[in-house]
Amino acid sequence: MQQCVLPALALLLLSTGQSVPQQPEPAAERTPPLADWEALRYGMFIHFGMSTYTGHEFGGIPATSAEFAPTALDVDQWIRVAKEAGMKYAVLTTKHCYGHALWPTKESEYSVATSAAPVDVVRQFVDACRKHGLEPGFYYLLGWDQVNQARMTPPEYERFCRRQVTELLTGYGPILEMWFDIPWDMGPESRRVLADLYALVKEKQPDCLVLLNQGFADGAEVVARGPTYRGEAAGDEPVLLWPKDLIDGEVTLPPSGGHDPWMKVEGRTYYIPMETCDTLARHWFFLDHDALNTVPTLYGLYRGCLDRRANLLLDVAPDRTGRIPAGAVRRLMELARVIDDPAALPLNLLHGKAAIASNVYRDDPAYGPDKLTDGDSRTRWATDDAVTAAWVEFDLGADTAFDSAVVTEGWNRVEEFAIEVPDGEGGWTAVHRGGKIGGDGALLRFPAVTARRVRLAIQRATVGPTIWDFEVYRGARN
């Protein structure tokens, strides 16, 4: 059984006969801060930092501080977009796997202070949130810090994290939530470290809500993980990811019956609401070759969270200029219109229709043409690598009128494509021709046509094309 390690103050009080102050605990009832958080329902997760510039989420290649170099940083734009999208709060990655801090921390030179853009991004974020009426929250990485953790022992790194968290909670005013990532990677005393960190947050800001990321779990229970340090095993007894005020599901919805916030942990019952975090695109940080999820997929995610009694924290990644790209803004606004009026949800005429393709990657049905229209933006049609021209054909079942389409590509391989219908003579005629597709999924308009079959023809690609989604509409959706 893991021993409880008392802090020095507690040992001193015991030796003098004074009572030991109790460690704060999560709420056993639905407190006003928890109720207020639940009422927010929809927020923006903002992944921005060194990984934006290296393309490596987990700090896979070395990077100097100077490589953080936004050329047109506009934090206010992030929050304006969030507000226009109907979001009520935002959570910023203050420190991610590179360990590079988005504020001028006193604990390390590896921060914005020594970067090519020496501005306090955290300050601008908090100020923008308050200006536009959103509640600000902070993401802070505990384990897997590739720079700071790598040069410290577990006790040294714990003190480092505590000092940085103190800076964040004493320098920027009231903070809605502290979103701690990789909490099990704090060494052999991870359980005690998490309890002391929770106490620190409550000491600095009693109403700030603590979330310990437990990964791809549905939030039905508080999970335990084997303790590690820098990814290496650091003990045999699993660490319960506790205490915390909020439970999460990373790209995972609550159970089909909905999240029950009345949760029993170690024999006591607590009130712990849930937050699902997921992505607008396919990755957390900006990548040139990334692709946006479709409106039906995103609306399904939104409704899946709210209907199952969880908040949705939707990740939106600013690009290397320091702004949210135009395609992402457009997709958020499309989603906002559907949230306001579900009747506006576009109906993909190809959904559920029979499909054939000229080539499928290794003949694997996991990459078959039906994946283009299955309502899941994480599945895709892909061809063998050597294929540079291919087609996928859908049978609508009857003559059907349509006048627009959306195609979303992965890895930016397509150079030329066409949307085609039968020409009545055994061949095909193009109703739309295009060059590069990309991942934004912009609406392609063309004169109305009536046909039973429709084909997406990739006429030229640099290497085997990957297509995430293919949508066909009657009546332009925007």
Side-chain angles (χ1 to χ4, degrees):
M1 184 174 180
Q2 187 170 352
Q3 293 183 340
C4 176
V5 181
L6 291 173
L9 175 60
L11 291 173
L12 175 62
L13 290 173
L14 282 173
S15 67
T16 60
Q18 300 180 51
S19 61
V20 179
Q22 285 190 328
Q23 289 272 61
E25 283 194 305
E29 59 184 359
R30 188 173 187 251
T31 63
L34 290 172
D36 290 345
W37 181 89
E38 288 177 297
L40 297 174
R41 300 178 65 132
Y42 184 31
M44 180 182 282
F45 212 175
I46 302 170
H47 275 64
F48 182 66
M50 189 61 75
S51 295
T52 307
Y53 298 90
T54 67
H56 289 259
E57 177 182 346
F58 300 109
I61 60 173
T64 66
S65 185
E67 291 179 55
F68 178 81
T71 56
L73 182 65
D74 191 349
V75 178
D76 193 76
Q77 182 244 7
W78 307 349
I79 307 305
R80 290 198 312 271
V81 168
K83 182 175 182 178
E84 291 170 9
M87 296 166 167
K88 304 300 183 184
Y89 67 111
V91 176
L92 173 67
T93 54
T94 62
K95 178 182 81 118
H96 205 266
C97 286
Y98 272 97
H100 190 258
L102 290 187
W103 78 102
T105 176
K106 296 178 181 177
E107 301 304 319
S108 169
E109 293 185 356
Y110 198 52
S111 80
V112 289
T114 57
S115 75
V119 297
D120 188 340
V121 178
V122 172
R123 167 58 62 197
Q124 293 190 5
F125 165 76
V126 169
D127 289 350
C129 284
R130 297 202 169 107
K131 173 183 173 182
H132 295 289
L134 273 69
E135 295 290 338
F138 292 154
Y139 166 110
Y140 181 87
L141 181 91
L142 292 173
W144 299 0
D145 180 327
Q146 298 299 320
V147 171
N148 304 295
Q149 190 178 14
R151 57 183 173 83
M152 298 179 187
T153 65
E156 290 170 339
Y157 184 61
E158 177 191 356
R159 291 191 291 270
F160 171 85
C161 291
R162 288 177 62 87
R163 290 193 294 264
Q164 284 202 324
V165 169
T166 297
E167 289 180 345
L168 290 170
L169 292 179
T170 58
Y172 298 96
I175 300 304
L176 174 70
E177 67 178 88
M178 284 296 303
W179 208 106
F180 290 116
D181 206 359
I182 322 297
W184 59 86
D185 192 55
M186 295 298 286
E189 294 189 70
S190 289
R191 179 67 190 272
R192 192 268 308 159
V193 171
L194 297 180
D196 286 353
L197 191 60
Y198 183 88
L200 175 67
V201 173
K202 297 304 177 180
E203 173 194 337
K204 302 304 179 185
Q205 294 199 27
D207 290 340
C208 181
L209 303 175
V210 173
L211 185 151
L212 302 176
N213 182 24
Q214 54 184 42
F216 308 104
D218 66 4
E221 62 180 357
V222 177
V223 304
R225 297 284 297 267
T228 61
Y229 191 70
R230 297 183 59 200
E232 300 292 332
D236 297 326
E237 186 173 347
V239 174
L240 191 68
L241 302 183
W242 184 255
K244 57 188 168 191
D245 306 302
L246 307 172
I247 200 164
D248 75 312
E250 185 175 346
V251 298
T252 306
L253 291 172
S256 58
H259 176 67
D260 183 359
W262 297 103
M263 305 185 69
K264 185 165 286 189
V265 184
E266 298 184 319
R268 298 191 62 181
T269 299
Y270 301 89
Y271 190 87
I272 309 173
M274 181 174 175
E275 177 181 79
T276 288
C277 61
D278 213 318
T279 56
L280 183 71
R282 268 70 175 182
H283 298 85
W284 295 102
F285 286 93
F286 173 81
L287 290 172
D288 287 322
H289 59 70
D290 212 355
L292 300 173
N293 290 311
T294 65
V295 173
T297 293
L298 293 167
Y299 184 68
L301 171 64
Y302 175 85
R303 287 268 36 117
C305 289
L306 271 60
D307 292 347
R308 299 183 187 188
R309 298 186 292 277
N311 283 14
L312 171 60
L313 188 63
L314 184 63
D315 179 63
V316 180
D319 63 18
R320 296 186 189 97
T321 71
R323 293 176 56 87
I324 297 174
V329 174
R330 183 178 66 246
R331 184 55 42 84
L332 286 169
M333 297 308 117
E334 291 171 349
L335 175 60
R337 286 194 289 273
V338 173
I339 290 172
D340 289 341
D341 179 15
L345 183 67
L347 173 65
N348 183 5
L349 299 175
L350 302 181
H351 182 69
K353 304 303 183 183
I356 58 174
S358 61
N359 181 271
V360 172
Y361 180 73
R362 296 182 177 177
D363 292 322
D364 186 342
Y367 301 98
D370 59 304
K371 304 306 179 185
L372 288 174
T373 59
D374 62 358
D376 183 353
S377 285
R378 288 187 171 85
T379 60
R380 55 194 171 105
W381 168 53
T383 71
D384 291 320
D385 291 342
V387 172
T388 57
W391 53 261
V392 58
E393 177 187 333
F394 286 85
D395 186 341
L396 293 164
D399 284 349
T400 305
F402 51 92
D403 60 9
S404 53
V406 170
V407 186
T408 307
E409 180 197 2
W411 291 276
N412 298 340
R413 297 168 174 176
V414 174
E415 301 284 337
E416 187 177 349
F417 75 99
I419 298 171
E420 301 175 333
V421 297
D423 63 6
E425 298 178 358
W428 295 84
T429 185
V431 297
H432 177 86
R433 294 187 182 276
K436 295 181 181 296
I437 295 176
D440 286 354
L443 186 69
L444 309 173
R445 302 173 187 267
F446 43 81
V449 62
T450 298
R452 173 170 175 158
R453 292 183 295 154
V454 61
R455 186 164 80 165
L456 172 64
I458 307 301
Q459 297 165 331
R460 185 163 54 91
T462 56
V463 68
T466 284
I467 307 297
W468 292 104
D469 298 288
F470 183 31
E471 307 168 63
V472 167
Y473 300 110
R474 177 171 51 247
R477 69 179 193 183
N478 60 5

